[in-house]
Amino acid sequence: MEKFRVYGVSTKDESQRERAHRALARRAAADGMVLLKNNGVLPLKNKTIALYGVGARMTVKGGSGSGNVEERYSVTIEQGLKNAGYSIAKPLWLERFEEKFNRDIEQWRQSVEDKIKGYGPVRTMKMFDIVHTSPQPCPTATPILEDELTEETDTAVYVLARQAGEGGDRRAEKGDYLFSDIELESIRKLAKHYKKLLLVINCGSAMDLSVLDEVEVGAVLHFSQGGMEGGNAFADIVSGKVTPSGKLTATWGYQYADYPSSDTYSYLNGDMTYNNYYEGIHIGYRWFDAMKKDPRFPFGFGLSYTTFTHEVKDIRIDGTKVMVKAVVKNIGGSYSGREVLQLYLAKPHTEMTHEQKGLVAFAKTKLLAPGKEECLTMTFDMAEQGSYHEDLSAFVLEQGEYGLLVGTDSMHTRAIAVLTLDKPVILEKTEHNLPKTADFTEYKPEVHLATYDTSIPRYALAGSAFCMTEHDYSIPEVKESPKEKRILDSLSDKQMIDLCVGGGYSTKGYVIVPGVVGTTSVKLLKKGIPNINLSDGPAGLRVMQAGAVQKSGTVLYPEGLPKEWQWGYLKRIAPFVKSNRGRLVYQYMSAFPCETAQAQSWDVNLLEEIGKAVGLEMKEIGVAVWLAPGMNLHRNPLCGRNFEYYSEDPVLTGKMAAAITKGVQSRKGCFVTVKHFCCNNQEENRDHMSSNLSERALREMYLRPFRMVIAEAKPGTIMTSYNMVNGTYTPNSYDLCTKVLRNEWGFEGVIMSDWNSTDKCSHEAAINAGNDLIMPGNASVRRALKSAYKSGTLDKKQLRRSAARILRLILNAATSEGF
Ligand code: BGC
């Protein structure tokens, strides 16, 4: 047997694969941008542009932390414009700003040098702590001076940029969620000086755009964080080469206070040890609907360069399944474009009250030339639309009229049918899992009863068409194959413990991937169990661009770390060795747009394609498990990781996650990790806080997308979260890890902890609960588990089940072939 196996490529040159994935990333970035306002500014007519704002030259391609990808190079907005033949008139502001930015970075670098002394090279978890206590200066814009304005053009673009990432939430303050005084002043000045002004929002999630109430800004584009090809995609959109078709996946309120959790969210709560979800199921548009409050930009909203009409052609009920067919037509005269139709369900308010409406299906057209049309089909299953009745501990559908609404955003919908259910139905009976323990009462928004015009067609829904599901809550056994049984029988219990504990960044194993964030156990190679590697996402694969693997299996890294890491550690890294002292491995991975931007395409086919591309890159570098997609909901716009999550809506989230999962896992032996299970909706104090919520909100909102992805795409693994839910740490929750995931949803894959999360609760309680794999793990975790085993607090049978699931994952991994 070879001592270790290394993947990657041996040449530095850009490969055909990279080029193909660049093209895909560019398409995805363009499709994920949302045109929020356009008074005749776009597409740009003038080929000469005056360009300002931090994000113009320092374009933020994605968020920070584990969501970062170290791609070969990224195209900034400035570069993208130049590539497309635009000339930048008098770039004086950009030049002066760059000088200041470089000075700031240098100062910061020096200030952290001392702090990192004494820590091991690259990528220890310590890096996160240091970044949290000394965040890299988020470049603040400098004022625009008179001599930086120009008469050369009538068109200006201002790119406002924001960065966020794990460990911290955004601030509802000037310079973050709000524009800074300098940004406001700059926009006022530009609007006065230039006839046409495009404001670009280079931020992973929502912003307060009050500036629009005060200043006449001609056009606003939510660029989001567009990945490595963002700048080129930007030029595609503003030049009119691509017609915008992205739609928001979260509601943008007029102001922060419009959101239900605005005063109690995260650091605003006053007590960081808990967060009560007072709003229950009413997050995002559900809240705005209930409050009858108009947002600035609704969920699902996005403009185009052309105009569409849609007409419903057919509605059919087949048992519990509902199908709607609608024809979308491009009635504009000049531009081809794509449109998204959204289907919402409005439940009757009888004994229970509900959201006014919830998304149940959507579909996007292909590119339609002027005058062309396409018939879209949207389907959903009424059996999956139940509301959770806490007293009955069951999902139910009440008797009454269910409105079916179609529209192009959550504010603009119309009723197209009424489905009349003839009797109440119990769809599914459950045990009470993780019920709310904290003493608080959910807000009870006023209910607005819907009335449907008699002209709207009625369809009968027969209660008898539904079957009731009941669950078996006995311990779910793992059916071991003969090979699995043979291997497991050959392991001692201590070795089984080894199998349930992974390794971190620099663990030497059989499969070596330079800079990967984790691996499964490397202790059992002699037992026929190779290690498999796990790499972060969700914008791509997070590994080092290059490494020299020594004969011993130790990896040395090159000097000149990627920008994000250019501080302190640089000095501590062993200089890169020449190829004769090790095997040089290059791993140039693609940085796709951030996850929210991907979802803003509302295009499941695109997400599947991105998944396939990621799967291909996994195979290229020897990664078996991609720690993505992120599936937490945008409960509040300040969450530092919103950019790593799809949406405020559970159905959109579930559908997007299923699509990308299918893509990745279509590559044999590649698996995803859906994360963070669950209610990891704030970053501040994420390790020590409890998300407190009703069982109804938990099941209908926060668990629902996970359930959907498991049902539709069978993800190989799932990651529990750092936080507690209703007072219990998620990796220690039998209710979540076993009763919900396995008994109720039939999940058979591996459940892993988030990195080091079991340190502050219990490693053995995690395995007892069904959280199979402790990540990243180390010798002290193994010791703790072995002593728990001795004292009898680690359940031996659960240990075997967890070991069996992990073994199966490893044996099925592509990188284990031929071991
Ligand atoms: C993050 C996870 C990530 C892991 C490994 C944690 O800090 O919460 O999303 O997969 O680190 O980098």
Side-chain angles (χ1 to χ4, degrees):
M1 187 184 84
E2 50 195 326
K3 203 161 139 208
F4 54 80
R5 193 188 283 179
V6 186
Y7 293 72
V9 293
S10 55
T11 154
K12 231 182 162 150
D13 304 337
E14 193 175 36
S15 66
Q16 180 53 35
R17 186 274 299 154
E18 275 184 80
R19 281 192 289 275
H21 289 185
R22 273 196 174 271
L24 173 61
R26 180 172 180 163
R27 185 152 50 87
D31 285 355
M33 286 178 211
V34 183
L35 182 59
L36 296 173
K37 180 176 176 189
N38 190 19
N39 285 341
V41 172
L42 293 179
L44 297 175
K45 312 255 166 4
N46 204 326
K47 274 281 180 187
T48 304
I49 307 292
L51 188 59
Y52 305 89
V54 172
R57 189 169 278 181
M58 308 299 165
T59 310
V60 180
K61 71 145 205 281
S64 64
S66 63
N68 180 49
V69 180
E70 294 165 8
E71 76 292 357
R72 184 187 288 268
Y73 67 90
S74 269
V75 181
T76 65
I77 285 183
E78 182 188 17
Q79 192 57 50
L81 285 170
K82 287 182 181 164
N83 293 348
Y86 288 90
S87 58
I88 310 302
K90 205 184 188 188
L92 195 56
W93 185 90
L94 295 173
E95 275 146 27
R96 287 182 180 153
F97 174 72
E98 189 179 358
E99 270 174 41
K100 172 189 168 278
F101 175 73
N102 289 339
R103 275 198 310 274
D104 288 355
I105 283 281
E106 191 45 39
Q107 239 180 32
W108 171 79
R109 235 183 80 117
Q110 283 168 12
S111 78
V112 291
E113 283 286 336
D114 282 349
K115 297 191 184 162
I116 59 98
K117 275 186 197 139
Y119 296 116
V122 253
R123 317 211 141 199
T124 61
M125 290 302 282
K126 202 67 205 163
M127 171 281 290
F128 285 126
D129 299 349
I130 293 167
V131 170
H132 296 158
T133 50
S134 340
Q136 234 181 82
C138 178
T140 45
T142 49
I144 298 174
L145 308 176
E146 285 307 315
D147 68 339
E148 292 161 351
L149 299 170
T150 173
E151 305 302 327
E152 265 180 75
T153 175
D154 65 349
T155 307
V157 175
Y158 188 86
V159 188
L160 180 132
R162 294 289 187 269
Q163 176 62 290
E166 67 177 296
D169 291 310
R170 295 177 60 199
R171 293 289 185 266
E173 289 162 13
K174 286 184 176 177
D176 195 343
Y177 188 71
L178 308 175
F179 285 32
S180 69
D181 289 339
I182 292 177
E183 287 163 342
L184 285 174
E185 197 39 52
S186 305
I187 290 164
R188 284 186 200 117
K189 202 169 210 162
L190 296 178
K192 215 161 164 193
H193 188 84
Y194 298 97
K195 213 168 120 208
K196 292 178 179 166
L197 174 60
L198 165 64
L199 170 63
V200 181
I201 309 296
N202 176 200
C203 170
S205 58
M207 295 279 307
D208 176 317
L209 293 185
S210 298
V211 65
L212 302 183
D213 302 329
E214 179 212 332
V215 188
E216 189 41 49
V217 178
V220 183
L221 179 71
H222 178 39
F223 170 85
S224 187
Q225 294 171 335
M228 64 186 179
E229 281 290 312
N232 285 333
F234 174 79
D236 291 342
I237 290 285
V238 298
S239 66
K241 193 171 154 199
V242 175
T243 299
S245 66
K247 310 278 176 182
L248 293 180
T249 62
T251 308
W252 288 33
Y254 275 96
Q255 47 192 341
Y256 177 65
D258 291 347
Y259 294 93
S261 52
S262 55
D263 50 345
T264 55
Y265 179 73
S266 182
Y267 67 96
L268 296 163
N269 195 35
D271 182 343
M272 295 282 286
T273 59
Y274 72 92
N275 211 254
N276 292 342
Y277 289 27
Y278 294 101
E279 73 283 7
I281 60 169
H282 292 96
I283 68 167
Y285 64 87
R286 288 165 163 84
W287 177 254
F288 284 80
D289 277 356
M291 294 289 115
K292 283 198 176 248
K293 191 187 279 255
D294 284 353
R296 187 180 290 281
F297 299 115
F299 170 82
F301 172 79
L303 300 171
S304 171
Y305 295 154
T306 186
T307 311
F308 298 94
T309 54
H310 62 265
E311 197 185 332
V312 174
K313 291 287 182 194
D314 194 12
I315 299 171
R316 281 189 200 189
I317 316 288
D318 178 8
T320 65
K321 304 227 165 64
V322 182
M323 184 203 70
V324 174
K325 283 194 176 192
V327 169
V328 177
K329 184 169 183 183
N330 180 353
I331 56 161
S334 317
Y335 293 94
S336 299
R338 302 179 69 194
E339 178 63 308
V340 177
L341 275 194
Q342 302 157 31
L343 192 65
Y344 295 86
L345 184 73
K347 295 176 181 173
H349 303 283
T350 49
E351 188 201 330
M352 299 173 85
T353 59
H354 308 275
E355 61 267 81
Q356 290 301 119
K357 63 176 179 293
L359 185 77
V360 284
F362 57 90
K364 187 168 187 171
T365 65
K366 56 183 192 293
L367 190 67
L368 296 177
K372 294 285 177 209
E373 58 182 41
E374 183 183 344
C375 185
L376 295 177
T377 304
M378 293 176 282
T379 53
F380 70 96
D381 192 343
M382 278 299 289
E384 289 163 8
Q385 310 309 325
S387 302
Y388 192 72
H389 194 300
E390 294 188 350
D391 294 340
L392 299 176
S393 65
F395 280 97
V396 299
L397 282 177
E398 292 174 295
Q399 181 178 357
E401 295 192 322
Y402 288 78
L404 210 50
L405 318 174
V406 83
T408 50
D409 65 57
S410 70
M411 238 167 94
H412 300 96
T413 58
R414 66 191 169 86
I416 52 163
V418 176
L419 315 179
T420 310
L421 182 61
D422 57 358
K423 60 172 192 183
V425 176
I426 295 190
L427 294 166
E428 178 185 353
K429 282 202 163 169
T430 72
E431 283 191 359
H432 277 300
N433 291 324
L434 275 190
K436 171 162 140 315
T437 46
D439 185 20
F440 71 92
T441 314
E442 280 184 359
Y443 303 144
K444 288 226 174 332
E446 203 187 315
V447 171
H448 316 292
L449 290 175
T451 48
Y452 303 101
D453 201 88
T454 45
S455 62
I456 296 168
R458 258 68 179 169
Y459 295 83
L461 257 184
S464 55
F466 295 87
C467 315
M468 190 178 79
T469 310
E470 276 186 285
H471 299 290
D472 171 6
Y473 286 98
S474 57
I475 293 170
E477 292 303 341
V478 182
K479 273 201 195 116
E480 294 168 9
S481 70
K483 181 174 179 187
E484 288 160 1
K485 185 169 176 337
R486 183 171 40 77
I487 297 179
L488 289 167
D489 285 347
S490 78
L491 300 183
S492 66
D493 287 347
K494 280 192 179 149
Q495 286 169 325
M496 258 186 267
I497 289 176
D498 289 340
L499 189 52
C500 293
V501 180
Y505 287 117
S506 44
T507 317
K508 273 195 258 173
Y510 171 68
V511 181
I512 294 179
V513 183
V516 82
V517 71
T519 171
T520 54
S521 178
V522 296
K523 304 216 147 293
L524 300 161
L525 305 181
K526 290 202 178 109
K527 287 280 173 189
I529 308 176
N531 67 310
I532 61 171
N533 287 281
L534 303 86
S535 166
D536 269 314
L541 288 157
R542 186 167 74 99
V543 290
M544 295 290 276
Q545 290 180 346
V549 185
Q550 310 298 284
K551 279 198 185 119
S552 60
T554 304
V555 184
L556 299 183
Y557 295 102
E559 283 189 52
L561 288 176
K563 270 234 165 69
E564 193 178 339
W565 302 87
Q566 281 188 12
W567 41 279
Y569 282 133
L570 259 185
K571 279 195 177 159
R572 304 186 48 79
I573 278 178
F576 204 33
V577 282
K578 294 191 186 69
S579 48
N580 60 4
R581 279 203 42 217
R583 176 161 161 210
L584 263 168
V585 178
Y586 294 99
Q587 315 177 117
Y588 289 108
M589 299 292 99
S590 303
F592 293 100
C594 73
E595 197 178 278
T596 309
Q598 292 177 26
Q600 286 178 172
S601 71
W602 287 66
D603 185 346
V604 285
N605 297 328
L606 174 71
L607 267 82
E608 197 166 334
E609 258 187 272
I610 295 175
K612 280 187 183 150
V614 170
L616 196 64
E617 295 187 20
M618 289 166 76
K619 289 207 148 185
E620 181 178 310
I621 61 169
V623 164
V625 179
W626 188 41
L627 301 169
M631 297 192 62
N632 300 94
L633 298 184
H634 294 197
R635 174 176 174 243
N636 181 289
L638 299 185
C639 174
R641 288 185 97 168
N642 273 351
F643 74 96
E644 288 186 68
Y645 305 140
Y646 293 117
S647 169
E648 68 186 19
D649 182 80
V651 169
L652 185 59
T653 299
K655 288 275 174 206
M656 291 293 154
I660 206 147
T661 299
K662 283 182 201 162
V664 171
Q665 297 192 169
S666 70
R667 306 283 180 194
K668 195 164 172 277
C670 296
F671 302 97
V672 303
T673 302
V674 296
K675 68 187 187 184
H676 310 87
F677 189 73
C678 57
C679 299
N680 186 177
N681 299 309
Q682 91 178 40
E683 282 304 297
E684 228 107 328
N685 206 34
R686 61 181 176 175
D687 263 310
H688 304 283
M689 61 80 60
S690 178
S691 294
N692 298 331
L693 73 171
S694 68
E695 198 179 345
R696 177 173 183 194
L698 177 66
R699 288 184 177 274
E700 285 185 33
M701 299 302 295
Y702 299 97
L703 294 183
R704 189 170 180 198
F706 286 100
R707 181 176 201 166
M708 286 175 66
V709 71
I710 289 169
E712 202 177 321
K714 283 192 184 307
T717 75
I718 187 163
M719 185 191 288
T720 49
S721 55
Y722 281 124
N723 55 289
M724 292 172 261
V725 173
N726 290 333
T728 304
Y729 277 109
T730 59
N732 283 181
S733 166
Y734 187 84
D735 276 9
L736 284 175
C737 297
T738 296
K739 286 191 186 173
V740 169
L741 273 174
R742 302 196 193 281
N743 295 130
E744 294 181 11
W745 303 351
F747 180 66
E748 291 180 347
V750 166
I751 304 178
M752 73 181 79
S753 69
D754 199 346
W755 267 228
N756 302 316
S757 71
T758 50
D759 287 355
K760 84 268 149 152
C761 45
S762 155
H763 309 301
E764 66 269 26
I767 292 186
N768 292 343
N771 182 113
D772 310 300
L773 180 61
I774 310 294
M775 286 306 294
N778 53 34
S780 92
V781 175
R782 284 190 293 272
R783 271 197 305 277
L785 282 172
K786 284 172 191 172
S787 90
Y789 177 84
K790 247 196 208 153
S791 64
T793 51
L794 173 63
D795 181 331
K796 217 172 141 179
K797 288 192 176 147
Q798 286 286 48
L799 176 65
R800 170 101 182 196
R801 291 182 196 108
S802 288
R805 292 185 196 110
I806 296 166
L807 177 67
R808 178 169 300 168
L809 176 74
I810 294 173
L811 295 180
N812 285 335
T815 55
S816 302
E817 273 164 32
F819 175 74

